[in-house]
Amino acid sequence: MKQTNFRAKRKRGALTNALIANFLNIVIIAVFKLIINVIGPGHYNVPFGIIQLLLITAFWVGFNYYQFKDAGQESPGDYAFYLLMCMIPTLFFTLLSIIVSSINVGGSFSSTWNLLTFVVAPALYLYIPYGIIYRLIGNSLPMAVFMLICIVYICAAQFIGYFIGKKSRQEAMARIKKRREIEERQMAEQAEMAERAKKQRETEASRMVRQGMRRRMNPKPNRRDPLGDIEQPAVIQTEAFEPITDEMIAKVKAEQEAKKEARRKAAEARRARIKRMGVPAGSRKKKEAEAEQPQQTPDTNNASNDDGPKWVIPGKGKQK
C-alpha cells in the first residue's frame, strides 16, 4: 500500500486495522453479553436489541471513517483488501455453522457437542448485536440467510464510514499535493540560487584572473624607483653601454678647461667694467653694507665717555 505521510501510513495498514477492528468488535459484544446476563437471558429485550444494533453500526461507521479519512491516496483495491481481512473471522465461523447445520452430524453426543461448542457458539456470539434483525425477519428465514444478511449489513456499515471520509481524503490529497508543489518550488529556487551563485563565483574568479593579468602586464609604478614610470622596453639604452676611449676622456677634459677659461674671462671683464666706472669694488660693497645697517643717534650727554654705560649716582645733582 502506498504511504503518503505518517498518519496515512499508521492508519492504512490493512492487516493492523483488521485486527484492531475485530478486537474492538469482540470487546463490544462481550459488554453486550454481560448486560444481557444482568437483564436476564430468559426473554429478549427489544429496546436493548435496538440499542445494540445502533451502537455496533456506529462503531463500524466511525472506525472506518477515522482510520481512512486522512489516507490521501487510498484506492478501492486497498480498502477491499482491508474489508476482506476484517471479515475473515466472521466468514469462517459462519461458513462452518452453515455446513454443520446443513449436514447430518450424527455420531455420538460428544462429537455433536464439540461441533456446537467450537463452531456454532462462536458464530452465534458474533451475531449477538444483530438479534433484533433475527427477531424481525429471522423467524421466516433460514439461519444461513440471516447470517448472510448480517454479513452484508456489517460490510455496508463499514463502506458507509469509508464513503463519509471521501471529502476528508480529498482534502488530505490536496494538502499533500500543495505540500509537494511547495517542496518542488523550494527545490527549484534552491537549484536556481545555487546555479546563480556558481555563475557569480565563476564571474568573480574570471574577474580576479583578469585583474591579476592586468597587474602583471601593467604593474603599478614604484615611487621609490626613479625609473618606475618608464614604459617598456624595460632596458634603457644609454651611452654608458658604449666603450670609453682615450679620445673621449681628452674631449671631456678639453670641454672642462674651456668652461673654466670662459668663467675666468667673464670675471676679468666684470672687474674691468667696475674699474672704468671709478668705484672700487671694496668701497662699493662697504657702502651697501652701511646702508643696510640701522642709524644710531649719538648721546650728547655722555659723548666724553665712550668706555661703558653711564651710571647715575643719587644725590650728586642736588649738591651742585
Side-chain angles (χ1 to χ4, degrees):
M1 298 175 67
K2 297 181 180 180
Q3 299 172 351
T4 58
N5 51 42
F6 175 77
R7 189 168 184 179
K9 176 181 178 181
R10 178 173 59 86
K11 292 181 177 298
R12 289 178 58 192
L15 183 59
T16 303
N17 287 339
L19 291 174
I20 294 172
N22 281 284
F23 175 77
L24 294 177
N25 182 41
I26 292 172
V27 170
I28 293 172
I29 295 173
V31 173
F32 291 161
K33 187 69 172 63
L34 291 175
I35 297 173
I36 292 173
N37 293 335
V38 172
I39 294 173
H43 61 282
Y44 184 77
N45 193 326
V46 176
F48 184 68
I50 297 173
I51 293 174
Q52 290 181 83
L53 182 62
L54 294 177
L55 290 177
I56 200 67
T57 304
F59 162 72
W60 288 119
V61 173
F63 181 84
N64 283 260
Y65 169 76
Y66 179 76
Q67 290 295 329
F68 296 97
K69 68 176 181 178
D70 291 327
Q73 294 181 347
E74 182 67 41
S75 63
D78 297 331
Y79 184 73
F81 180 72
Y82 153 79
L83 197 61
L84 177 63
M85 297 297 294
C86 184
M87 296 302 297
I88 281 179
T90 305
L91 291 173
F92 175 75
F93 286 108
T94 300
L95 182 61
L96 289 181
S97 298
I98 292 172
I99 293 173
V100 169
S101 61
S102 299
I103 63 175
N104 186 10
V105 177
S108 63
F109 173 79
S110 60
S111 62
T112 305
W113 177 259
N114 290 334
L115 288 175
L116 293 176
T117 302
F118 295 103
V119 175
V120 179
L124 295 177
Y125 178 83
L126 294 174
Y127 289 104
I128 287 175
Y130 312 98
I132 188 67
I133 298 176
Y134 182 80
R135 186 163 182 95
L136 294 176
I137 60 174
N139 294 326
S140 59
L141 296 175
M143 180 61 67
V145 176
F146 163 73
M147 291 181 176
L148 293 177
I149 292 174
C150 292
I151 291 174
V152 172
Y153 182 84
I154 296 171
C155 293
Q158 295 191 72
F159 185 76
I160 290 172
Y162 174 77
F163 183 77
I164 293 173
K166 180 179 180 181
K167 185 177 180 180
S168 299
R169 287 192 298 274
Q170 291 176 352
E171 293 176 354
M173 189 63 188
R175 289 194 300 269
I176 295 170
K177 185 177 180 181
K178 185 177 180 180
R179 185 169 59 251
R180 287 180 177 176
E181 290 177 355
I182 293 173
E183 291 176 354
E184 291 176 357
R185 184 167 61 252
Q186 290 177 351
M187 293 176 63
E189 291 177 355
Q190 292 177 358
E192 185 179 357
M193 291 174 63
E195 186 68 21
R196 193 183 305 116
K198 182 180 178 181
K199 290 182 179 179
Q200 186 176 0
R201 287 194 298 269
E202 292 177 354
T203 305
E204 185 69 17
S206 61
R207 185 180 65 81
M208 294 175 66
V209 170
R210 289 195 301 270
Q211 288 181 354
M213 293 180 65
R214 281 199 296 268
R215 291 194 193 99
R216 289 193 293 269
M217 294 176 64
N218 301 317
K220 186 178 181 180
N222 189 1
R223 295 181 179 180
R224 298 181 179 180
D225 186 6
L227 303 178
D229 57 345
I230 299 176
E231 297 180 355
Q232 298 291 342
V235 179
I236 302 173
Q237 297 179 1
T238 62
E239 295 180 357
F241 292 94
E242 297 180 0
I244 299 174
T245 60
D246 295 339
E247 295 179 355
M248 294 174 64
I249 295 173
K251 184 178 179 181
V252 171
K253 289 183 177 180
E255 290 178 355
Q256 292 177 355
E257 292 295 335
K259 290 180 181 180
K260 290 180 180 180
E261 185 65 24
R263 286 196 297 271
R264 187 180 61 77
K265 289 181 179 180
E268 291 179 354
R270 187 168 56 255
R271 286 194 294 271
R273 186 169 58 254
I274 293 171
K275 191 181 292 183
R276 286 195 301 272
M277 292 174 63
V279 180
S283 62
R284 185 172 61 82
K285 291 181 180 180
K286 185 177 181 181
K287 287 182 179 181
E288 291 177 357
E290 290 176 354
E292 292 177 358
Q293 293 179 358
Q295 296 181 358
Q296 297 179 358
T297 57
D299 190 359
T300 56
N301 297 325
N302 300 322
S304 60
N305 191 3
D306 296 329
D307 295 333
K310 309 303 179 181
W311 299 98
V312 179
I313 301 173
K316 286 186 177 183
K318 293 182 180 180
Q319 292 176 0
K320 291 182 179 179

